[in-house]
Amino acid sequence: MPMKPPQQNVYIIDDDEAVLDSLGTYLDAVGFITKTWSDPRSFLDAYRHEWCGCLLLDIHMPTLSGLGLQQELVAVGSTLPIIFMTGRGDVSTAVQAMKAGAFEFIEKPFAHEALREHIQRAFAVDVQRREALGQQQQIRERLNTLTPRESEVLDYVLNGKATKVIAIELSLSQRTVEIYRANIMQKMQSKSVAQLVKMLSAFRGGSHAT
């Protein structure tokens, strides 16, 4: 039986209660599931990594700015796409937010239809990010099954070294290296060296992404 996809919510944070009520009411009415906070610190206390969807975040708040909250979420490894809201046309702040990984930046008042489109696109990005993280976790688990010697041979393979060269450099027989290579391919669930290189290149690139 296929797993049910996780529920995607719109998490709304704005210190203006009227804005929270208006956004929550509208988005609920058009079919989104919303959760609202007037205090960003309270949101941080409640936040869980498994939350899916997107964050609709006011950028100017007294207790903790939207940018400050964004930094805190990045620090804990959150992948939730952030749509920033502002009542002021602050270009430098928008640039700073986007450089830090914000998904979108919109000025109040904004058209409801445009907001819906931003949220739908953010949901799609959230799914892509979580799928990528899931694939990275699978690869990490496979790598953890390798023995120290297999990991050593893997590094040589990824550097394009032939079996004969690996055998010489590690003082092993070619047959032993072939056995290690076969074990590596099986454990990594890879059908070819090219596939293995592609898999681990994407993994190592994703592991260092912010």
Coordinates of all heavy atoms in Angstrom, one line a residue, residues 53-57 59 67 70 73-74 78-85 93-106 114-129:
G53 N 5.3 22.1 3.6 CA 4.5 23.2 3.1 C 5.4 24.4 2.8 O 6.4 24.3 2.1
C54 N 5.0 25.5 3.4 CA 5.8 26.7 3.2 C 5.5 27.7 4.4 O 4.5 27.5 5.1 CB 5.5 27.4 1.9 SG 3.9 28.2 1.7
L55 N 6.4 28.7 4.5 CA 6.3 29.7 5.6 C 6.0 31.0 4.9 O 6.7 31.5 4.1 CB 7.6 29.7 6.3 CG 7.7 30.7 7.5 CD1 6.7 30.3 8.6 CD2 9.1 30.5 8.1
L56 N 4.9 31.6 5.4 CA 4.5 33.0 5.0 C 4.9 33.9 6.1 O 4.2 33.9 7.2 CB 3.0 33.0 4.7 CG 2.4 34.1 3.9 CD1 3.1 34.3 2.6 CD2 0.9 33.9 3.7
L57 N 5.9 34.7 5.9 CA 6.6 35.4 7.0 C 6.7 36.9 6.8 O 7.2 37.3 5.8 CB 8.0 34.7 7.1 CG 8.9 35.3 8.2 CD1 8.4 35.2 9.6 CD2 10.3 34.6 8.1
I59 N 8.4 40.4 7.4 CA 9.8 40.6 7.5 C 10.1 41.6 8.7 O 11.2 41.6 9.2 CB 10.4 41.1 6.2 CG1 11.9 40.8 6.2 CG2 10.1 42.6 6.0 CD1 12.5 40.8 4.8
L67 N 14.0 38.2 8.9 CA 15.4 37.8 8.6 C 16.0 37.0 9.7 O 16.7 36.0 9.5 CB 16.2 39.0 8.2 CG 15.9 39.7 6.8 CD1 16.8 40.9 6.6 CD2 16.1 38.7 5.7
Q70 N 14.6 33.6 9.8 CA 15.1 32.9 8.7 C 16.5 32.3 9.0 O 16.8 31.1 8.8 CB 15.2 33.8 7.4 CG 15.8 33.1 6.2 CD 16.1 34.0 5.0 OE1 16.4 35.2 5.3 NE2 16.0 33.6 3.8
L73 N 16.2 29.4 11.4 CA 15.7 28.2 10.7 C 16.8 27.5 9.8 O 16.9 26.3 9.8 CB 14.5 28.5 9.8 CG 13.2 28.9 10.6 CD1 12.1 29.4 9.6 CD2 12.7 27.6 11.3
V74 N 17.6 28.4 9.2 CA 18.7 27.8 8.4 C 19.7 27.1 9.3 O 20.2 26.0 9.0 CB 19.4 29.0 7.6 CG1 20.8 28.5 7.0 CG2 18.5 29.5 6.5
S78 N 16.3 23.8 8.5 CA 15.0 23.8 7.9 C 15.0 23.9 6.4 O 15.9 24.7 5.9 CB 14.2 24.9 8.5 OG 12.9 25.1 7.8
T79 N 14.2 23.2 5.7 CA 14.1 23.3 4.2 C 12.8 24.0 3.8 O 12.5 24.0 2.6 CB 14.2 21.9 3.6 OG1 13.1 21.1 4.0 CG2 15.5 21.3 3.9
L80 N 12.0 24.4 4.7 CA 10.7 25.0 4.4 C 10.9 26.3 3.5 O 11.6 27.2 3.9 CB 9.9 25.5 5.6 CG 9.0 24.5 6.4 CD1 8.4 25.1 7.6 CD2 7.9 23.9 5.5
P81 N 10.3 26.3 2.3 CA 10.4 27.5 1.5 C 9.7 28.7 2.2 O 8.7 28.6 2.8 CB 9.6 27.2 0.2 CG 9.6 25.7 0.2 CD 9.5 25.3 1.6
I82 N 10.4 29.9 2.2 CA 9.9 31.1 2.9 C 9.4 32.1 1.9 O 10.2 32.5 1.0 CB 11.0 31.7 3.8 CG1 11.4 30.7 4.9 CG2 10.5 33.0 4.4 CD1 12.5 31.2 5.7
I83 N 8.2 32.5 2.0 CA 7.7 33.7 1.3 C 7.6 34.8 2.2 O 6.8 34.8 3.2 CB 6.3 33.4 0.7 CG1 6.3 32.1 -0.2 CG2 5.7 34.6 0.0 CD1 4.9 31.7 -0.6
F84 N 8.4 35.8 2.0 CA 8.5 37.0 2.9 C 7.4 38.0 2.5 O 7.1 38.2 1.3 CB 9.8 37.7 2.8 CG 10.9 37.1 3.7 CD1 11.9 36.4 3.2 CD2 10.8 37.3 5.1 CE1 12.9 35.8 4.1 CE2 11.7 36.8 6.0 CZ 12.8 36.0 5.4
M85 N 6.8 38.6 3.5 CA 5.8 39.7 3.3 C 6.3 41.0 3.9 O 6.9 40.9 5.0 CB 4.5 39.3 3.9 CG 3.9 38.0 3.5 SD 2.3 37.7 4.4 CE 2.9 37.5 6.1
T93 N 16.7 44.8 1.9 CA 16.3 43.7 2.8 C 15.8 42.6 1.9 O 16.1 41.4 2.3 CB 15.1 44.2 3.7 OG1 15.5 45.3 4.4 CG2 14.7 43.1 4.6
A94 N 15.1 42.9 0.8 CA 14.7 41.8 -0.1 C 15.9 41.0 -0.6 O 15.9 39.8 -0.7 CB 13.8 42.4 -1.2
V95 N 16.9 41.8 -1.1 CA 18.1 41.1 -1.6 C 18.7 40.2 -0.6 O 19.1 39.1 -0.8 CB 19.1 42.2 -2.1 CG1 20.4 41.6 -2.4 CG2 18.5 42.9 -3.3
Q96 N 18.8 40.7 0.7 CA 19.4 40.0 1.8 C 18.6 38.7 2.0 O 19.2 37.6 2.2 CB 19.5 40.8 3.0 CG 20.2 40.2 4.2 CD 20.3 41.1 5.4 OE1 19.9 42.2 5.4 NE2 20.7 40.5 6.5
A97 N 17.3 38.8 2.0 CA 16.5 37.6 2.2 C 16.6 36.6 1.1 O 16.7 35.4 1.4 CB 15.0 38.1 2.3
M98 N 16.7 37.1 -0.1 CA 16.8 36.1 -1.2 C 18.2 35.5 -1.3 O 18.3 34.3 -1.5 CB 16.6 36.9 -2.6 CG 15.2 37.5 -2.7 SD 13.8 36.3 -2.5 CE 13.8 35.6 -4.1
K99 N 19.2 36.2 -0.9 CA 20.5 35.6 -0.8 C 20.6 34.5 0.2 O 21.4 33.6 0.1 CB 21.6 36.7 -0.6 CG 22.0 37.5 -1.8 CD 23.1 38.5 -1.5 CE 23.5 39.3 -2.7 NZ 24.6 40.2 -2.4
A100 N 19.8 34.7 1.3 CA 19.8 33.7 2.4 C 18.9 32.5 2.1 O 18.8 31.6 2.9 CB 19.4 34.4 3.7
G101 N 18.3 32.5 0.9 CA 17.6 31.3 0.5 C 16.1 31.5 0.5 O 15.3 30.5 0.3
A102 N 15.6 32.7 0.6 CA 14.1 32.9 0.6 C 13.5 32.5 -0.8 O 14.2 32.7 -1.8 CB 13.8 34.4 0.8
F103 N 12.3 32.0 -0.7 CA 11.7 31.5 -2.0 C 11.1 32.7 -2.8 O 11.2 32.8 -4.0 CB 10.6 30.5 -1.6 CG 9.8 30.0 -2.8 CD1 10.4 29.2 -3.8 CD2 8.5 30.5 -3.1 CE1 9.7 28.8 -4.9 CE2 7.8 30.1 -4.2 CZ 8.4 29.2 -5.1
E104 N 10.5 33.6 -2.0 CA 9.8 34.7 -2.7 C 9.7 35.9 -1.7 O 9.8 35.7 -0.5 CB 8.4 34.3 -3.2 CG 7.7 35.3 -4.1 CD 8.5 35.6 -5.3 OE1 8.5 34.8 -6.3 OE2 9.1 36.7 -5.3
F105 N 9.5 37.1 -2.3 CA 9.4 38.3 -1.5 C 8.3 39.2 -2.1 O 8.3 39.5 -3.3 CB 10.7 39.1 -1.6 CG 10.9 40.2 -0.6 CD1 11.5 40.0 0.6 CD2 10.4 41.5 -0.9 CE1 11.6 41.1 1.5 CE2 10.5 42.5 0.0 CZ 11.1 42.3 1.2
I106 N 7.2 39.4 -1.3 CA 6.1 40.1 -1.8 C 5.7 41.3 -0.9 O 5.9 41.3 0.3 CB 4.8 39.2 -2.0 CG1 4.5 38.5 -0.6 CG2 5.1 38.1 -3.0 CD1 3.3 37.6 -0.7
A114 N -2.2 36.0 -6.8 CA -0.7 35.9 -6.9 C -0.2 35.1 -5.7 O 0.8 34.3 -5.8 CB -0.1 37.3 -7.0
L115 N -0.7 35.4 -4.5 CA -0.3 34.7 -3.3 C -0.5 33.2 -3.4 O 0.3 32.4 -3.1 CB -1.0 35.3 -2.1 CG -0.7 34.6 -0.8 CD1 0.8 34.7 -0.4 CD2 -1.6 35.2 0.4
R116 N -1.7 32.8 -4.0 CA -2.0 31.4 -4.1 C -1.0 30.7 -5.1 O -0.5 29.6 -4.8 CB -3.4 31.3 -4.7 CG -4.5 31.6 -3.7 CD -5.9 31.6 -4.4 NE -6.2 30.3 -5.0 CZ -7.3 30.0 -5.7 NH1 -8.2 31.0 -5.9 NH2 -7.6 28.8 -6.1
E117 N -0.6 31.4 -6.1 CA 0.3 30.9 -7.1 C 1.7 30.7 -6.4 O 2.4 29.7 -6.6 CB 0.5 31.8 -8.3 CG -0.8 31.8 -9.2 CD -0.7 32.7 -10.3 OE1 0.4 33.4 -10.5 OE2 -1.7 32.8 -11.1
H118 N 2.1 31.7 -5.6 CA 3.4 31.6 -4.9 C 3.4 30.4 -4.0 O 4.4 29.6 -3.9 CB 3.6 32.9 -4.1 CG 4.0 34.1 -4.9 ND1 4.8 34.0 -6.0 CD2 3.6 35.4 -4.7 CE1 4.9 35.2 -6.5 NE2 4.2 36.1 -5.8
I119 N 2.3 30.2 -3.2 CA 2.2 29.1 -2.3 C 2.2 27.7 -3.0 O 2.9 26.8 -2.6 CB 0.9 29.2 -1.4 CG1 1.0 30.4 -0.5 CG2 0.7 27.9 -0.7 CD1 -0.3 30.7 0.2
Q120 N 1.5 27.6 -4.1 CA 1.5 26.4 -4.9 C 2.9 26.0 -5.4 O 3.4 24.9 -5.3 CB 0.5 26.4 -6.1 CG -0.9 26.5 -5.6 CD -1.5 25.2 -5.1 OE1 -0.7 24.3 -4.8 NE2 -2.8 25.1 -4.9
R121 N 3.6 27.1 -5.9 CA 5.0 26.8 -6.3 C 5.9 26.5 -5.2 O 6.8 25.6 -5.3 CB 5.5 28.1 -7.1 CG 4.9 28.3 -8.4 CD 5.6 29.3 -9.3 NE 5.7 30.6 -8.6 CZ 6.8 31.2 -8.1 NH1 7.9 30.5 -8.2 NH2 6.7 32.4 -7.6
A122 N 5.7 27.1 -4.0 CA 6.5 26.8 -2.8 C 6.3 25.4 -2.4 O 7.2 24.7 -2.0 CB 6.2 27.8 -1.7
F123 N 5.0 24.9 -2.5 CA 4.7 23.5 -2.1 C 5.5 22.6 -3.0 O 6.0 21.5 -2.5 CB 3.2 23.3 -2.3 CG 2.4 23.7 -1.1 CD1 2.9 24.4 0.0 CD2 1.0 23.4 -1.0 CE1 2.1 24.8 1.1 CE2 0.2 23.8 0.0 CZ 0.8 24.5 1.1
A124 N 5.5 22.9 -4.3 CA 6.2 22.0 -5.3 C 7.7 21.9 -4.9 O 8.3 20.9 -5.0 CB 6.0 22.5 -6.7
V125 N 8.3 23.1 -4.6 CA 9.7 23.1 -4.2 C 9.9 22.4 -2.9 O 11.0 21.7 -2.8 CB 10.2 24.6 -4.0 CG1 11.5 24.7 -3.4 CG2 10.2 25.3 -5.4
D126 N 9.0 22.5 -2.0 CA 9.2 21.7 -0.7 C 9.2 20.2 -1.0 O 10.0 19.5 -0.4 CB 8.0 22.1 0.2 CG 8.1 21.3 1.5 OD1 9.1 21.5 2.2 OD2 7.1 20.6 1.9
V127 N 8.4 19.7 -1.9 CA 8.3 18.3 -2.2 C 9.7 17.9 -2.9 O 10.3 16.9 -2.5 CB 7.2 18.0 -3.2 CG1 7.3 16.6 -3.8 CG2 5.8 18.1 -2.5
Q128 N 10.2 18.7 -3.8 CA 11.5 18.4 -4.4 C 12.6 18.4 -3.4 O 13.5 17.5 -3.5 CB 11.8 19.5 -5.5 CG 10.8 19.5 -6.7 CD 11.0 20.7 -7.6 OE1 11.8 21.5 -7.3 NE2 10.2 20.7 -8.7
R129 N 12.6 19.3 -2.5 CA 13.7 19.4 -1.5 C 13.6 18.1 -0.6 O 14.7 17.5 -0.3 CB 13.6 20.6 -0.6 CG 13.9 21.9 -1.4 CD 13.7 23.1 -0.5 NE 14.1 24.4 -1.1 CZ 13.9 25.6 -0.6 NH1 13.4 25.7 0.6 NH2 14.3 26.6 -1.3

